[in-house]
Amino acid sequence: MHFQFTIIIPVYNEEDNLLRLEKELLLYLEIANKKSKVLFVNDGSSDKSQEIIEAICSRNPAFTFISFKVNKGLSAALKAGFDFTNTELVGYIDSDLQTSPKDFNLLLSHINTFDLVTGMRTNRKDSLLKKLSSKTANSFRKLFTKDGMDDTNCPLKVLRTDYAKNIPMFNGLHRFLPAMVLLQGGKIKQIPVKHFPRLAGDSKFGFWNRSIGPFIDCFVFLWMKKKYINYTVSKQNI
């Protein structure tokens, strides 16, 4: 079966969300604009997530997984997902279902013109502290990267796999995907998407890794941007 689009699902201790996620993903695969498959990346979960993921994959041929020995964080999970993707397009969504897989079609409708299309959460269903810390982080990042994106933390993105595989990886990467596509000379776009409250499980991000951590990562990005190598071969005889 020829797939065109891989949906990466980073998972860390989400046992209470996975069966609902399976149902929503199956509904999406029926209406997807591109022939799609799912790749779970279990980021060293200590609950029953791996057991549930294996059961899901055993009954759904379009679902696959990889599993880390220990927890490495969201950026590492995304890197692994990119490394194991073999389709032309790749995207990701969080396993908490605060965004909907159905909105992938909104993003995919623009991917012929752009190299990365990201969601922008509207009417967010988060706590005031979470929204304020996220807004602060986005302001810092936008100032440093000049990527023009209002919500790079939105866990709903689609990008061309060749761009994804060429992104220099570091912890905190997930906040800089649009800026890193721009470094490669790519084109990016943001699209408003729906947002929902978390119904089960706990958020893996607190004040530190929503605000202070991203501020520090901005300096890492500036250093990397200065050192970044990007070239285009105009002619060859190999």
Side-chain angles (χ1 to χ4, degrees):
M1 188 177 297
H2 177 69
F3 292 101
Q4 301 166 292
F5 178 44
T6 299
I7 302 171
I8 298 170
I9 316 284
V11 176
Y12 179 59
N13 291 347
E14 294 284 2
E15 61 182 4
D16 294 328
N17 280 314
L18 289 173
L19 294 181
R20 187 168 64 97
L21 177 62
E22 175 191 18
K23 181 179 178 180
E24 291 297 317
L25 288 168
L26 286 172
L27 290 173
Y28 173 68
L29 293 186
E30 294 179 359
I31 63 167
N33 289 347
K34 304 285 186 181
K35 188 66 176 177
S36 304
K37 64 178 180 177
V38 174
L39 173 60
F40 290 105
V41 181
N42 181 11
D43 184 19
S45 295
S46 57
D47 62 0
K48 294 182 180 179
S49 290
Q50 181 60 28
E51 178 183 333
I52 298 170
I53 287 171
E54 291 186 25
I56 291 172
C57 292
S58 69
R59 57 181 174 256
N60 298 296
F63 288 58
T64 57
F65 74 85
I66 57 177
S67 183
F68 289 174
K69 287 184 178 180
V70 296
N71 176 248
K72 289 294 185 178
L74 178 56
S75 294
L78 287 178
K79 172 173 169 48
F82 294 158
D83 287 346
F84 280 82
T85 291
N86 57 8
T87 54
E88 177 186 357
L89 300 172
V90 63
Y92 86 91
I93 186 173
D94 277 354
S95 49
D96 58 17
L97 282 175
Q98 286 196 260
T99 50
S100 170
K102 294 177 183 177
D103 280 342
F104 272 125
N105 278 353
L106 294 176
L107 308 188
L108 285 168
S109 66
H110 295 274
I111 200 62
N112 288 337
T113 308
F114 296 89
D115 303 298
L116 175 145
V117 186
T118 181
M120 180 178 64
R121 292 166 289 187
T122 58
N123 193 20
R124 286 185 62 174
K125 302 295 192 283
D126 286 324
S127 67
L128 179 61
L129 177 60
K130 188 173 182 180
K131 286 188 282 190
L132 286 175
S133 58
S134 181
K135 185 176 181 179
T136 300
N138 271 306
S139 296
F140 280 132
R141 177 206 43 74
K142 196 173 179 181
L143 178 66
F144 277 75
T145 65
K146 296 178 171 49
D147 60 12
M149 299 290 102
D150 297 305
D151 185 17
T152 59
N153 286 329
C154 178
L156 194 75
K157 289 180 174 61
V158 173
L159 62 163
R160 297 186 181 279
T161 303
D162 53 350
Y163 281 86
K165 289 181 180 292
N166 284 333
I167 291 174
M169 306 300 291
F170 60 88
N171 287 330
L173 143 90
H174 56 281
R175 305 180 185 99
F176 296 90
L177 289 179
M180 291 182 174
V181 169
L182 287 176
L183 278 181
Q184 298 179 57
K187 296 187 293 183
I188 62 177
K189 185 177 182 65
Q190 60 184 1
I191 300 291
V193 297
K194 296 183 291 294
H195 192 245
F196 304 91
R198 177 185 266 272
L199 298 182
D202 299 313
S203 173
K204 309 307 183 291
F205 293 90
F207 177 77
W208 169 264
N209 50 22
R210 280 200 200 98
S211 52
I212 307 302
F215 177 68
I216 295 171
D217 288 340
C218 285
F219 290 97
V220 178
F221 171 80
L222 287 181
W223 177 88
M224 186 210 65
K225 181 179 179 180
K226 184 177 180 180
K227 302 291 185 180
Y228 184 68
I229 296 173
N230 187 33
Y231 65 88
T232 302
V233 174
S234 62
K235 217 172 188 180
Q236 63 169 311
N237 182 17
I238 297 177

